[in-house]
Amino acid sequence: MATPNYGYEKRQKELAKKRKKEDKLKAKAERKVGGEGSDGNPYQPDADQPEPGNPDTAAPQA
């Protein structure tokens, strides 16, 4: 039986960890750039959608 190559396994683990960290930073940067509104709130409701819980702007129910 062949002996395990611990150096190779360690290197692969380090590369996977580095790749995951880079992906996480990239996703965080994308959220920061594209997800915020003018007031810093990432949630912006559509103008044609009424706000939930506000009966004045809700569509009339038949």
Side-chain angles (χ1 to χ4, degrees):
M1 186 172 151
T3 60
N5 188 349
Y6 293 113
Y8 177 80
E9 291 177 13
K10 182 177 179 181
R11 177 73 177 143
Q12 294 303 309
K13 188 175 181 181
E14 289 173 352
L15 289 173
K17 189 175 181 181
K18 183 178 179 182
R19 193 176 318 116
K20 184 177 179 182
K21 185 176 182 180
E22 288 173 355
D23 290 344
K24 195 173 185 181
L25 287 173
K26 183 179 176 184
K28 187 176 181 182
E30 288 175 359
R31 279 196 314 268
K32 185 175 182 182
V33 172
E36 288 186 359
S38 59
D39 60 351
N41 187 357
Y43 175 73
Q44 290 186 349
D46 295 334
D48 59 343
Q49 296 289 331
E51 292 184 20
N54 190 350
D56 295 334
T57 59
Q61 298 177 350

